[in-house]
Amino acid sequence: MKKIAILRGINVGGKRKILMADLKALFEKTGLENIKTYIQSGNIIFNSNSNNFELEKILENSIRERFGFNVPVIVRNSDELQNSITHNPFYNKNADINKLHLTFLKEKPSKEYLDEIQSFNYEPDNFKIDGQNVFLFIDGKYHKTKLSNTFFEKKLKVGATTRNWKTVLKLIELSKD
């Protein structure tokens, strides 16, 4: 089955640098097949029949052993990623996709934290949580919004990483091959 690994915080601002060729070689060494990388921020498409949770642990451990630092990894299968298109409340034919982002959550947050986070309002920026996805509408620049990875990690008590909607669409396209 096609899987997509989304890594958090590599190759940003010259820190935690990993060449995509080295990352691809590491994934091959762990037994994964048909590996493709997409841009330097850590998006890897591959085939595996292992479950997502197992893959996340294997890949995080392998990266730590090989590169010497911790990199959170979130894995989705191609169907889960494809479903994000139909579940995104901000995405339609008239949407400005430059304002759309998807925050991937490592696990489904507890009801308590989901209820609490609904009280936050940072309009015109907006968010909608659906399972392990946070759909974002960011009116300005993403790096200036309060709806960051750190915000969701602190409020929901789960790991998170975000991709812009263009990257999400490209990952869906690449996972169909």
Side-chain angles (χ1 to χ4, degrees):
M1 171 176 271
K2 284 283 186 196
K3 304 273 186 165
I4 301 91
I6 304 134
L7 282 59
R8 172 144 188 221
I10 65 165
N11 302 332
V12 179
K15 296 180 180 160
R16 299 189 338 158
K17 293 177 93 171
I18 302 176
L19 297 175
M20 291 302 100
D22 293 341
L23 197 56
K24 183 176 180 181
L26 179 66
F27 274 49
E28 288 170 347
K29 189 176 177 183
T30 63
L32 302 175
E33 299 176 342
N34 299 325
I35 302 161
K36 292 184 269 187
T37 62
Y38 177 67
I39 63 177
Q40 296 296 314
S41 60
N43 305 289
I44 304 95
I45 300 100
F46 57 92
N47 288 354
S48 175
N49 291 322
S50 297
N51 76 47
N52 294 356
F53 179 77
E54 289 173 4
L55 286 167
E56 289 170 356
K57 294 299 169 209
I58 291 167
L59 296 171
E60 286 173 351
N61 289 335
S62 297
I63 292 168
R64 183 175 38 260
E65 288 172 12
R66 167 67 176 84
F67 299 103
F69 47 82
N70 292 325
V71 174
V73 177
I74 296 176
V75 175
R76 297 288 193 269
N77 68 46
S78 57
D79 291 340
E80 291 169 324
L81 201 58
Q82 180 66 43
N83 285 338
S84 66
I85 289 178
T86 56
H87 288 94
N88 187 339
F90 308 115
Y91 183 59
N92 60 54
K93 65 181 179 181
N94 299 319
D96 179 355
I97 65 171
N98 295 310
K99 296 182 178 193
L100 305 181
H101 303 267
L102 177 56
T103 298
F104 298 89
L105 302 177
K106 198 145 177 83
E107 56 196 62
K108 191 174 178 182
S110 74
K111 182 173 177 0
E112 173 190 357
Y113 297 132
L114 287 170
D115 289 344
E116 285 177 20
I117 202 169
Q118 297 308 317
S119 67
F120 290 89
N121 182 345
Y122 295 115
E123 289 186 356
D125 297 349
N126 203 345
F127 69 94
K128 172 78 170 124
I129 301 171
D130 184 1
Q132 290 180 258
N133 293 323
V134 181
F135 299 102
L136 301 172
F137 173 85
I138 307 299
D139 195 45
K141 302 283 186 193
Y142 176 78
H143 71 276
K144 292 185 177 183
T145 186
K146 294 191 184 295
L147 301 177
S148 65
N149 290 325
T150 303
F151 169 80
F152 289 109
E153 286 179 331
K154 285 182 178 178
K155 301 301 180 194
L156 298 173
K157 310 292 189 233
V158 299
T161 192
T162 302
R163 296 297 185 267
N164 66 50
W165 197 248
K166 286 181 182 179
T167 297
V168 172
L169 294 174
K170 187 64 175 180
L171 291 172
I172 291 168
E173 177 187 323
L174 292 170
S175 69
K176 289 180 182 179
D177 293 342

